[in-house]
Amino acid sequence: MLTAPPPTTAVSAPRRFLPVLPVVALVAMMALPVSGGGDGGGGGTVADAVSGLVVLYCAVRLVRDRRRPLSRTAAVVLALPVVGIALAAAGAVSPGAGITGLVRYLQIFVLVPVAVMLLIRDRRDARLVAWSLVGLALWQGAIGVHQYATGTGASYMGEEIRAVGTFGAADVMGMATVVSFGVVCSLGLALGAGPGRQRTAAALCSLALLLPLALSFSRGAWIATAVTCGVQLALAGMRRAVKVFAAVVAASVVLVGGFGVGTAMLQERISSITQVADAPDQSVTDRYTMWAAAVDMWRGQPLTGVGLKGFPDHRDGHASLALSSGSDTEGAGAGFKRQPLLSPHNMYLLVLSEQGLLGLLALAGSWLALLVCGLHRLFRARRPVHERRSAPRGLDCALVACGLLTWQLVDFAYADIGGPSTALTAVLFGLGAWWALASEEAGQR
């Protein structure tokens, strides 16, 4: 008599995702309230500690499996930033600053991305990481909307209404960054060729996350998200682009026009984007001043820069009198505090000033190589499998990976690394590296 096979699905599913679960755990750590290192001073966080465990876990698996971890192309692309980082660390103002900067840059741009890339084995793993980013964005976004509605957020124009999630007033970009990642991931999943329910759920998540993104009042996140979503829609096909654009417009009309969600302040914030040259506010003036200071530092040391962590020490000697003493932070459970301006809020200029032209070419060259390789693979994924018309393989993963890389490279024009949310940047580059540089078999499974 034939007997039914034992039900192994419930047991095998968790084990099947076991290698990538540390990456999901790292994402989940960002849902916790920030404690220590949340003041913008560069201190370590729980997420930083978990990222170290992710690297260690990946190393143990590599030793156990005894396999070649990276292809030659992947090794060159991902190791390229080490050259400029090492030179800049040697030229730091102090050995302590050099070691601290070296560890931080290697963590965010080399070690953790390599570990994430190797722990993601196929498209199912990649989708799990993408959905974990969407879940984190929904959690942080819900907290942010509650902060706006109850007046318990960070201070903005005299009112404590700025949505910052669990990141606090010291890292006002944290929630905006997380929610932006959620929008990009959910839109990529919605535009893919997965099951209908999954694509519908992803589309609804993408629309829902627009509200907390708007309430973050983060102009840089708005710009980067708008550019990235436009790129994703264009890559997915113009027919879908028109449909999604119509849905976004309808949702915006309902949220802003129907419910009056922050109408006056949002309009003023949006209009300020076009006034950065004519009538800039103090935050924009400070940013322009620090940009000019960064360029001036580079002119003094064009090849190697002033050294890692050297921008704060050289800032006053290169900045004009238009620079204020700092930015005011308050609200979201914290008292008034004056935050010092320790970076130019532009990753490219930060690297240029501290690592020089060599460092910028190495680091930005690695990022650009990831994006180019990812887009090349995306166009290949869009081709029909055979002569017949069929759904592109892995298009959702391609749109997520390339979208996240695009968002980060655009946002780096307005921001740099720093704050508790920085660990997610490493996950982003790791996911992008998996799509761009992993073996063909891994991208097709």
Side-chain angles (χ1 to χ4, degrees):
M1 184 176 66
L2 296 177
T3 59
T8 59
T9 304
V11 178
S12 60
R15 294 187 63 182
R16 187 253 168 269
F17 289 110
L18 185 61
V20 80
L21 287 183
V23 181
V24 177
L26 174 57
V27 175
M29 289 299 103
M30 307 305 298
L32 301 177
V34 174
S35 60
D39 57 355
T45 65
V46 175
D48 291 325
V50 174
S51 71
L53 294 177
V54 170
V55 175
L56 180 61
Y57 175 78
C58 179
V60 170
R61 286 187 62 89
L62 290 178
V63 172
R64 187 193 66 180
D65 296 342
R66 296 180 180 179
R67 63 186 179 91
R68 181 179 177 181
L70 299 173
S71 66
R72 184 176 302 176
T73 301
V76 171
V77 171
L78 294 173
L80 188 60
V82 177
V83 178
I85 295 171
L87 290 175
V93 293
S94 67
I99 294 174
T100 302
L102 178 67
V103 171
R104 186 62 163 169
Y105 273 89
L106 291 180
Q107 172 203 1
I108 302 303
F109 299 118
V110 181
L111 297 178
V112 177
V114 169
V116 171
M117 172 188 172
L118 296 176
L119 293 175
I120 297 176
R121 297 167 302 164
D122 52 36
R123 293 181 305 192
R124 287 177 292 182
D125 286 353
R127 292 189 185 103
L128 180 61
V129 174
W131 275 111
S132 68
L133 288 170
V134 174
L136 174 64
L138 290 172
W139 167 253
Q140 292 287 355
I143 296 176
V145 172
H146 179 266
Q147 290 171 333
Y148 174 85
T150 58
T152 56
S155 179
Y156 178 76
M157 297 183 67
E159 299 182 52
E160 296 186 354
I161 59 171
R162 188 168 190 174
V164 292
T166 63
F167 295 97
D171 185 16
V172 294
M173 284 293 298
M175 191 212 74
T177 298
V178 169
V179 172
S180 298
F181 289 170
V183 172
V184 173
C185 288
S186 57
L187 182 58
L189 292 168
L191 294 174
R197 290 184 179 180
Q198 174 180 288
R199 288 187 284 112
T200 300
L204 292 176
C205 291
S206 183
L207 292 174
L209 289 172
L210 294 179
L211 176 58
L213 180 61
L215 299 180
S216 70
F217 295 100
S218 173
R219 292 171 294 198
W222 293 348
I223 294 172
T225 304
V227 171
T228 302
C229 290
V231 170
Q232 286 179 301
L233 291 170
L235 291 174
M238 294 309 298
R239 182 180 300 178
R240 287 183 176 181
V242 172
K243 292 181 180 179
V244 175
F245 179 76
V248 171
V249 171
S252 301
V253 170
V254 171
L255 289 174
V256 179
F259 295 102
V261 178
T263 306
M265 289 187 176
L266 281 176
Q267 289 179 350
E268 183 176 350
R269 190 67 166 172
I270 293 172
S271 63
S272 68
I273 297 176
T274 62
Q275 298 172 352
V276 292
D278 299 332
D281 55 30
Q282 185 58 48
S283 65
V284 175
T285 300
D286 287 339
R287 187 161 301 190
Y288 283 166
T289 304
M290 290 188 293
W291 288 3
V295 173
D296 200 44
M297 293 179 200
W298 167 69
R299 287 172 178 166
Q301 298 286 340
L303 288 181
T304 58
V306 297
L308 291 183
K309 299 288 185 178
F311 184 89
D313 295 304
H314 293 80
R315 183 200 61 184
D316 293 340
H318 296 270
S320 68
L321 296 178
L323 182 66
S324 64
S325 59
S327 60
D328 299 336
T329 61
E330 189 177 10
F336 176 84
K337 187 176 181 180
R338 191 74 171 168
Q339 289 285 108
L341 303 175
L342 302 178
S343 71
H345 295 291
N346 181 306
M347 191 64 198
Y348 304 108
L349 292 180
L350 177 63
V351 174
L352 186 66
S353 62
E354 292 187 346
Q355 301 183 35
L357 191 59
L358 293 178
L360 181 62
L361 290 177
L363 199 55
S366 175
W367 303 337
L368 185 60
L370 287 179
L371 183 58
V372 171
C373 292
L375 289 174
H376 174 71
R377 216 165 193 183
L378 184 150
F379 291 129
R380 293 181 61 182
R382 289 183 57 181
R383 296 174 183 172
V385 179
H386 298 296
E387 307 254 341
R388 59 181 177 83
R389 299 179 63 183
S390 57
R393 296 174 298 179
L395 181 61
D396 54 348
C397 297
L399 292 173
V400 168
C402 294
L404 289 173
L405 287 174
T406 301
W407 189 94
Q408 193 63 76
L409 296 185
V410 174
D411 185 70
F412 272 165
Y414 310 97
D416 48 45
I417 58 173
S421 60
T422 302
L424 282 183
T425 302
V427 175
L428 176 157
F429 279 111
L431 184 57
W434 167 80
W435 173 257
L437 302 174
S439 64
E440 291 289 340
E441 292 78 10
Q444 294 176 1
R445 287 200 302 264

